[in-house]
Amino acid sequence: MSQATESDVREDGVIDSVSGPVVTATGLDARMNDVVYVGSEGLMGEVIEIEGDITTIQVYEETSDVSPGEPVEGTGSPLSVDLGPGMLDAIYDGVQRPLDVLEEKMGSPYLDRGVDAPGIDLEKTWEFEPEVEAGDEVSSGDIVGTVPETPSIDHKVMVPPDSEGGEVVAAESGNFTVEEPVVELDTGEEIKMRQEWPVRQQRPSEEKQTPTTPLISGQRVLDGLFPIAKGGTAAIPGPFGSGKTVTQHQLAKWADADIVVYVGCGERGNEMTEVIEDFPELEDPTTGNALMDRTCLIANTSNMPVAARESCVYTGITIAEYFRDMGYDVALMADSTSRWAEAMREISSRLEEMPGEEGYPAYLAARLSEFYERAGYFQNINGSEGSVSVIGAVSPPGGDFSEPVTQNTLRIVKTFWALDADLAERRHFPSINWNESYSLYRDQLDPWFVENVRDDWPEKRQWGIDTLDEEAELQEIVQLVGKDALPEDQQLTLEVARYLREAWLQQNAFHPTDTYCEPEKTYRVLDAIKTYNDEAFDALDAGVPVEELTDLETVPRLNRIGVQEEYNEYIDELEADIESEIQELY
Amino acid sequence: MKKEYETITEISGPLVFAEIDEPVGYDEIVEIDTGDGDVRRGQVLESTSDYVAIQVFEGTTGIDRNSSVRFLGETMKMKLTEDLLGRVLSGSGDPIDGGPEIEPDERRDIVGKAINPYSREYPEEFIQTGVSGIDGMNTLVRGQKLPIFSASGLPHNDLALQIARQASVPEEEEGDDDEGSEFAVIFGAMGITQEEANEFMDDFERTGALERSVVFMNLADDPAVERTLTPRLALTTAEYLAFDKGYHVLVILTDMTNYCEALREIGAAREEVPGRRGYPGYMYTDLAQLYERAGRIEGREGSVTQIPILTMPGDDDTHPIPDLTGYITEGQIYIDRDLNSQGIEPPINVLPSLSRLMDDGIGEGLTRADHADVKDQIFAAYAEGEDLRDLVNIVGREALSDLDNKYLDFADRFETEFVDQGIDTDRSIDETLELGWDLLSMLPKDALNRIDEDLIEEHYREDETQEVTAD
Ligand SMILES: Nc1ncnc2c1ncn2[C@@H]1O[C@H](COP(=O)(O)OP(=O)(O)O)[C@@H](O)[C@H]1O
Ligand SMILES: [Mg+2]
């Protein structure tokens, strides 16, 4: 988190009461959302209510043993993050304290209290290359130089959005710390690599545009049926064990974003450890560099303080916006937004606010939409284009989607990936229900798929959808009378649909090859199943009995395309084999 | 020691409110003296400059406005020493086995600090429980938290005991130092009956496990609020033995449902806005603070593996207790009423069960190269057979295809041969997987689409007439 710098001198106060993460203080002169340090250990907190002389504070650390009478010290600045080189390959808690630095400072694997650390290393030097020279006019947001932050990402140093800009008087290349000036303006302003930004405030942009490029996920069911756009929003609701986290991890690994911000909000510690251990070893499919080079992790696990769970999504999205301003496509995953909503509920109930639906505060819907509104495809104030895509997991109690967090989220987001406990139980993964899910981006993204993958992408996809729809209807009849009572063509449809489910929609995240499927391969798997479909229906028309067409030697090989690295050769051969096997039947 | 007050203003359920004139810390421990020598312990739930709310662990019966209140100036601590092994303690950590007082090496706060996610080590060491439904299908690893979702009248205790008896880490068995592979067992009982408690104690004594166990007993007739302490004492001891003393610790907590009831009681007494079904809105956070104390830590020897047991009210897994638990733990094992009435032992329903840490804990060098594929295929085939059972009731077996009939047979044999093994059978992972192949070989080769073709060649029983041998 950002260390308060320009605190205008204000009165400090004393603690009046302590109840879990909520502390009240008297005599404190602070503004709403100011950061304060609470108690003799200086625990970090934020002002969340002011009523007369009583200031209410949510504390981002454990409050055991804190007593009334201890001091509360104001900083005069709102909760902010440090922005600058050093955020990639980092892992933060919910208020941007680097967890590796905390481990070192605390000398213990357990999180202690009252230890603070800046979000970016203030001592490390970076190699700065200016992109402006003396005499150039720069205004707010403009890029003044670059820093090779990781092998994947050039960090763009920008004029802060709240600066007026001016004429450059000096810009030198060289090695600097993030606090040293790298560019000087005629106004006397010094531009440094480090900026600060309050997390609850959206960073400014020129305008929001309609997204037209997909965020390719490498997951067949997503790219093929329910694509999300770069700058789009998606929700993944599902009961426990249905695949929210694995889907989010898959996106973090394989999505073709420039930057990934992964927010582990109130979930398991080991899931973050898994990312920390795996990502440095994995290759970014676009650049070939280590995945960690484009990733920023925020981990506020379920056993870490509740208040920091509330703030972690804002910390994440502010970092995402900052990289967007450089012209990058950023993808942010939040697992799980329900924990954030619950943190809001917990704090609200301690404030004795009037509860809304299911005890959530009345402002739940407003907070959710404010957050998702920060996603989008933007024209930035410096003229570049960048995007923030937001994918939020939702954890509905009892798996019931009618609850407030799911419902309010679905009113905002445009992609809905509905996870299904039944599919998960039978280990159909990803267990995304193809009947319930939708993507409102499909039409606006089709031109991209037509241009970049295949002309008939939309038609083939439609054929797949129709076949799956028909299967759903036929299954209802089968449940009553059995499969054999169906007419032959319908039996064949069921067989084809089974391949769509098993060979196309299913994808094993843990198989080294199947884990990522490029759009071309997604298309070709579908097309191979259609080849079987077309050949088999021709044969059926020519009088071949359906039993023979559902008991072919070659067709089961469709289920093995996913694990083929050299899939083109494999599919070419398989299609030819299917054609000749069927044609020999008549 | 701080000031003593006789300023109780209100007593309500498990809560006592008292006026104070010197600040008292949040969570601080309090002693209330009823006047006749009876001292109750409690904890500060809310602290303001002029009054405090105190939650009393041992019940408020007998406390009146003249009782005196003493603040101890510190939060609740557990006395720690390796000598705890072999001891039986009450639900608040006092010896009840007639043995000597505990001579602590150290006293530690029972509200454990969160493990820094950066300092964790990802758990991936296979624990062989000898139970096929777990080892084969939902593998447990060292440092995992894997609860048993059960319901009243089901044999969850038998399964927990079987795991405690049989759990070992295979590779270490080969070494001559036998002790290395044994777990220290921490048993935390919350509100279970004397009879259930005896079941555990007898088994621990019979098998000699007691020597490497620490038992915390809060029984059904012990104070309910004490149950909020018991798991914290147990886990503080577990962390100490694991991360300071290098033990691999298996923590069994039963019954988490009683723990949650105690939370609800305190919430109600505080007149908090209740969450779903009257349980506190912060129950997720509270449970996470227990369950997340499982794991491994980079650079430390030991591990804390948790097997919490909970009984689902009304067999309903959408009830907040199993629901919130499932959202925090690394999977769950379901005990199934139908399988139990069919005499399957242990009656594990593998389909809704899950081990989230399985994928990294199995495979070549860990268990066997074919493990993941075999597991996937069995899941798919069993689910298929399960589905067909509904249909066969309507249309009869004759209306089904040959293959469908094979799936039905597969599902039956899976339950009676693979899952059903008896509480005293200890199967090695090899035996479990071979049994899996015996069953899978009932299906035609090209139906095994989840298994790598080379592995099919290696393991598939060509001789379909071969009789399956279960032990
Ligand atoms: N795409 C997938 N491929 C293989 N296994 C999966 C996939 N998605 C989920 N799983 C399995 O399901 C389990 C639960 O998934 P997870 O994402 O952790 O669920 P949730 O976050 O919804 O509780 C995982 O541990 C894994 O075994
Ligand atoms: Mg999850």
Side-chain angles (χ1 to χ4, degrees):
Chain A
M1 113 109 205
S2 146
Q3 318 266 294
T5 40
E6 14 71 81
S7 82
D8 38 307
V9 181
R10 286 173 169 255
E11 287 293 307
D12 293 341
V14 290
I15 298 178
D16 184 54
S17 74
V18 187
S19 167
V22 173
V23 164
T24 61
T26 51
L28 180 70
D29 174 23
R31 289 171 300 209
M32 233 354 222
N33 296 116
D34 270 5
V35 169
V36 296
Y37 290 101
V38 176
S40 32
E41 288 182 67
L43 310 183
M44 193 201 296
E46 180 183 356
V47 174
I48 54 171
E49 194 178 80
I50 300 173
E51 214 181 308
D53 188 37
I54 306 275
T55 306
T56 307
I57 298 154
Q58 63 177 4
V59 183
Y60 293 122
E61 304 182 69
E62 281 308 323
T63 53
S64 274
D65 233 4
V66 172
S67 350
E70 290 183 30
V72 178
E73 186 193 321
T75 63
S77 22
L79 186 65
S80 303
V81 284
D82 281 324
L83 301 166
M87 293 191 293
L88 297 175
D89 199 5
I91 171 163
Y92 296 121
D93 76 352
V95 286
Q96 211 207 4
R97 292 181 301 186
L99 288 168
D100 50 344
V101 177
L102 292 189
E103 182 191 69
E104 200 179 313
K105 276 194 166 180
M106 294 169 181
S108 150
Y110 295 100
L111 288 168
D112 245 317
R113 306 191 297 196
V115 179
D116 205 351
I120 52 179
D121 193 329
L122 303 180
E123 265 117 61
K124 179 170 177 170
T125 58
W126 298 90
E127 200 184 315
F128 175 79
E129 191 56 49
E131 287 196 355
V132 291
E133 49 188 31
D136 287 354
E137 277 295 327
V138 294
S139 54
S140 61
D142 282 357
I143 294 166
V144 296
T146 58
V147 173
E149 181 173 355
T150 68
S152 302
I153 295 297
D154 274 340
H155 194 103
K156 315 274 168 69
V157 178
M158 297 174 289
V159 179
D162 48 10
S163 148
E164 300 279 292
E167 191 186 309
V168 175
V169 288
E172 302 275 329
S173 64
N175 289 302
F176 302 96
T177 71
V178 295
E179 294 201 299
E180 284 168 332
V182 288
V183 171
E184 275 169 52
L185 303 184
D186 61 347
T187 57
E189 184 174 350
E190 294 176 331
I191 313 274
K192 300 166 188 155
M193 290 185 227
R194 172 177 169 279
Q195 323 188 346
E196 272 177 46
W197 193 262
V199 296
R200 295 182 198 279
Q201 193 182 327
Q202 179 169 8
R203 282 174 68 88
S205 64
E206 195 61 44
E207 66 166 7
K208 213 171 179 170
Q209 301 174 343
T210 307
T212 52
T213 315
L215 181 73
I216 295 297
S217 65
Q219 311 302 302
R220 289 186 287 275
V221 59
L222 304 185
D223 297 339
L225 288 180
F226 312 111
I228 176 179
K230 288 205 171 98
T233 50
I236 324 178
F240 61 81
S242 57
K244 297 178 292 294
T245 303
V246 174
T247 309
Q248 296 269 41
H249 281 192
Q250 287 296 91
L251 282 158
K253 285 177 189 167
W254 310 125
D256 67 340
D258 299 312
I259 305 279
V260 167
V261 179
Y262 192 95
V263 185
C265 175
E267 295 281 313
R268 301 179 183 84
N270 278 330
E271 290 174 347
M272 299 312 294
T273 311
E274 190 183 3
V275 176
I276 302 170
E277 287 185 12
D278 284 356
F279 277 35
E281 317 267 286
L282 290 169
E283 249 181 44
D284 176 345
T286 0
T287 62
N289 296 321
L291 267 182
M292 218 44 215
D293 288 343
R294 66 163 194 185
T295 309
C296 173
L297 292 176
I298 295 164
N300 211 87
T301 56
S302 57
N303 54 339
M304 286 160 73
V306 150
R309 200 182 299 166
E310 194 273 331
S311 65
C312 68
V313 296
Y314 295 103
T315 298
I317 197 127
T318 308
I319 292 174
E321 283 173 345
Y322 175 68
F323 281 107
R324 171 209 74 189
D325 286 344
M326 300 178 201
Y328 288 121
D329 291 315
V330 187
L332 178 138
M333 289 97 208
D335 184 14
S336 156
T337 59
S338 292
R339 306 299 165 220
W340 162 41
E342 285 161 10
M344 260 188 252
R345 175 170 71 184
E346 196 168 327
I347 303 288
S348 159
S349 105
R350 303 238 186 208
L351 291 177
E352 296 179 359
E353 289 173 345
M354 186 70 147
E357 213 182 338
E358 307 245 344
Y360 286 104
Y363 45 80
L364 171 72
R367 292 278 167 87
L368 285 170
S369 57
E370 268 165 31
F371 172 69
Y372 281 103
E373 265 307 297
R374 292 174 74 168
Y377 194 95
F378 292 90
Q379 183 173 6
N380 296 321
I381 52 173
N382 57 20
S384 66
E385 285 179 11
S387 67
V388 175
S389 314
V390 174
I391 300 118
V394 184
S395 315
D400 177 1
F401 289 179
S402 67
E403 58 91 40
V405 182
T406 314
Q407 285 306 312
N408 284 309
T409 304
L410 288 184
R411 280 168 42 203
I412 310 159
V413 301
K414 293 200 165 169
T415 315
F416 172 41
W417 297 328
L419 293 172
D420 184 321
D422 255 11
L423 291 174
E425 253 187 39
R426 53 180 52 244
R427 273 52 177 182
H428 170 116
F429 290 123
S431 46
I432 291 171
N433 183 309
W434 49 94
N435 295 312
E436 278 180 54
S437 303
Y438 58 77
S439 164
L440 299 179
Y441 299 112
R442 218 188 245 163
D443 293 342
Q444 76 208 53
L445 297 179
D446 269 350
W448 186 93
F449 284 104
V450 166
E451 189 174 323
N452 292 281
V453 191
R454 293 297 177 96
D455 289 353
D456 61 347
W457 176 280
E459 290 77 32
K460 285 275 158 58
R461 179 189 59 215
Q462 196 54 45
W463 168 79
I465 294 172
D466 292 343
T467 309
L468 289 166
D469 281 351
E470 197 177 340
E471 184 199 31
E473 283 167 29
L474 293 177
Q475 283 297 358
E476 288 179 22
I477 306 173
V478 170
Q479 286 310 311
L480 299 175
V481 297
K483 207 187 315 186
D484 284 0
L486 291 182
E488 294 209 319
D489 60 330
Q490 296 187 343
Q491 291 187 36
L492 188 53
T493 300
L494 285 180
E495 185 71 359
V496 173
R498 193 169 65 82
Y499 281 107
L500 283 176
R501 283 188 283 112
E502 292 181 359
W504 194 49
L505 297 181
Q506 281 188 24
Q507 189 173 347
N508 185 354
F510 303 110
H511 189 281
T513 306
D514 202 22
T515 185
Y516 173 75
C517 184
E518 57 188 11
E520 172 71 11
K521 187 172 175 185
T522 295
Y523 174 90
R524 288 219 63 188
V525 181
L526 179 61
D527 198 35
I529 301 170
K530 183 133 191 320
T531 303
Y532 165 50
N533 176 82
D534 295 353
E535 289 295 329
F537 272 97
D538 283 351
L540 194 67
D541 287 344
V544 179
V546 71
E547 294 75 41
E548 287 183 29
L549 295 168
T550 56
D551 191 24
L552 296 166
E553 192 104 331
T554 51
V555 183
R557 270 158 55 199
L558 286 170
N559 281 323
R560 309 220 174 250
I561 305 175
V563 301
Q564 306 302 324
E565 216 159 316
E566 306 298 332
Y567 64 89
N568 277 313
E569 293 79 347
Y570 186 91
I571 295 175
D572 290 343
E573 197 180 311
L574 175 57
E575 285 181 338
D577 290 351
I578 292 176
E579 280 165 18
S580 62
E581 190 186 7
I582 294 182
Q583 282 164 16
E584 271 165 30
L585 296 173
Y586 63 101
Chain B
M1 190 153 302
K2 289 196 183 175
K3 205 164 163 181
E4 193 161 326
Y5 296 88
E6 282 184 24
T7 52
I8 293 180
T9 53
E10 190 185 329
I11 305 167
S12 146
L15 301 188
V16 166
F17 295 83
E19 285 173 354
I20 46 159
D21 53 20
E22 273 177 20
V24 171
Y26 176 70
D27 267 356
E28 199 170 290
I29 289 299
V30 186
E31 282 180 357
I32 300 180
D33 195 331
T34 57
D36 44 17
D38 188 10
V39 177
R40 310 282 170 78
R41 267 185 306 175
Q43 184 177 14
V44 174
L45 276 192
E46 189 178 343
S47 176
T48 73
S49 41
D50 42 30
Y51 76 92
V52 291
I54 302 160
Q55 154 190 333
V56 183
F57 300 128
E58 288 114 344
T60 46
T61 317
I63 297 180
D64 63 16
R65 295 181 51 187
N66 301 321
S67 302
S68 64
V69 179
R70 219 167 24 241
F71 296 93
L72 302 192
E74 65 169 18
T75 51
M76 187 76 178
K77 302 276 195 288
M78 174 71 200
K79 295 177 182 163
L80 296 168
T81 150
E82 237 174 307
D83 298 338
L84 282 168
L85 289 167
R87 302 298 306 268
V88 182
L89 312 175
S90 74
S92 1
D94 302 318
I96 51 170
D97 53 3
E101 277 301 302
I102 296 162
E103 299 284 346
D105 287 340
E106 198 178 326
R107 297 165 75 252
R108 210 173 275 176
D109 226 310
I110 67 162
V111 181
K113 291 178 199 152
I115 301 176
N116 185 335
Y118 183 78
S119 313
R120 281 184 187 267
E121 186 178 318
Y122 196 70
E124 45 197 9
E125 273 171 296
F126 165 63
I127 296 176
Q128 182 171 296
T129 66
V131 178
S132 296
I134 296 177
D135 295 352
M137 308 302 291
N138 297 290
T139 317
L140 176 68
V141 301
R142 261 183 188 164
Q144 183 168 11
K145 40 190 179 291
L146 187 66
I148 299 177
F149 280 17
S150 187
S152 44
L154 296 178
H156 41 264
N157 292 344
D158 291 339
L159 178 60
L161 279 169
Q162 188 172 10
I163 296 172
R165 270 195 314 272
Q166 299 180 173
S168 65
V169 174
E171 37 191 40
E172 288 187 12
E173 272 177 347
E174 287 156 23
D176 25 4
D177 174 15
D178 203 20
E179 272 171 47
S181 69
E182 285 201 334
F183 284 87
V185 176
I186 306 260
F187 180 69
M190 292 159 282
I192 62 171
T193 62
Q194 183 70 55
E195 209 175 313
E196 281 177 283
N198 291 344
E199 209 184 311
F200 278 99
M201 291 309 294
D202 291 348
D203 203 82
F204 288 162
E205 274 164 33
R206 183 172 62 82
T207 59
L210 193 56
E211 281 167 53
R212 48 184 173 93
S213 303
V214 189
V215 175
F216 293 84
M217 281 283 180
N218 167 290
L219 297 183
D221 55 359
D222 288 331
V225 177
E226 189 184 81
R227 285 167 207 158
T228 60
L229 287 183
T230 312
R232 293 185 163 81
L233 294 163
L235 289 164
T236 306
T237 310
E239 283 173 343
Y240 171 78
L241 290 175
F243 304 128
D244 291 52
K245 300 292 168 190
Y247 287 83
H248 291 288
V249 184
L250 182 69
V251 184
I252 299 173
L253 298 172
T254 183
D255 177 334
M256 290 306 294
T257 302
N258 296 330
Y259 171 82
C260 293
E261 298 299 344
L263 280 190
R264 177 161 73 170
E265 186 181 330
I266 297 162
R270 295 183 69 188
E271 297 177 6
E272 291 165 353
V273 184
R276 257 178 99 222
R277 305 216 196 161
Y279 293 92
Y282 48 79
M283 194 157 86
Y284 175 83
T285 303
D286 189 282
L287 286 173
Q289 281 166 354
L290 301 180
Y291 296 142
E292 279 288 324
R293 293 174 80 174
R296 303 216 56 164
I297 291 177
E298 196 89 45
R300 306 275 170 120
E301 264 302 299
S303 60
V304 176
T305 308
Q306 278 188 36
I307 304 198
I309 299 173
L310 57 87
T311 46
M312 300 185 279
D315 289 16
D316 174 10
D317 68 355
T318 68
H319 183 282
I321 299 172
D323 191 52
L324 296 180
T325 298
Y327 270 122
I328 302 163
T329 53
E330 282 142 352
Q332 65 280 334
I333 301 292
Y334 276 80
I335 302 284
D336 189 86
R337 201 173 287 282
D338 282 345
L339 291 177
N340 187 50
S341 53
Q342 287 165 41
I344 307 286
E345 228 177 31
I348 296 174
N349 184 357
V350 301
L351 290 178
S353 300
L354 169 70
S355 165
R356 295 164 187 271
L357 301 184
M358 176 168 193
D359 304 290
D360 286 299
I362 63 171
E364 204 162 358
L366 298 159
T367 55
R368 248 173 57 169
D370 56 334
H371 193 164
D373 287 6
V374 167
K375 169 219 32 157
D376 284 346
Q377 192 69 59
I378 293 181
F379 269 120
Y382 182 48
E384 184 88 34
E386 267 267 287
D387 281 353
L388 288 166
R389 282 178 177 165
D390 294 336
L391 184 58
V392 87
N393 286 335
I394 303 166
V395 300
R397 275 219 177 211
E398 312 71 51
L400 298 186
S401 68
D402 241 20
L403 183 61
D404 284 352
N405 273 300
K406 285 187 177 144
Y407 278 119
L408 278 169
D409 292 338
F410 177 90
D412 290 345
R413 289 183 54 187
F414 175 73
E415 289 168 1
T416 56
E417 294 174 28
F418 189 94
V419 181
D420 188 18
Q421 64 178 78
I423 52 171
D424 287 319
T425 307
D426 187 355
R427 286 191 191 142
S428 73
I429 185 65
D430 260 323
E431 287 174 273
T432 292
L433 292 175
E434 288 307 316
L435 193 50
W437 278 106
D438 290 341
L439 299 179
L440 287 173
S441 299
M442 297 166 67
L443 302 170
K445 267 190 192 175
D446 65 15
L448 305 184
N449 59 36
R450 306 279 187 113
I451 307 183
D452 184 87
E453 281 160 315
D454 292 342
L455 292 170
I456 297 182
E457 285 321 308
E458 193 180 333
H459 297 278
Y460 189 80
R461 322 278 192 243
E462 292 296 346
D463 177 13
E464 281 187 56
T465 54
Q466 177 193 334
E467 258 315 292
V468 175
T469 43
D471 10 352

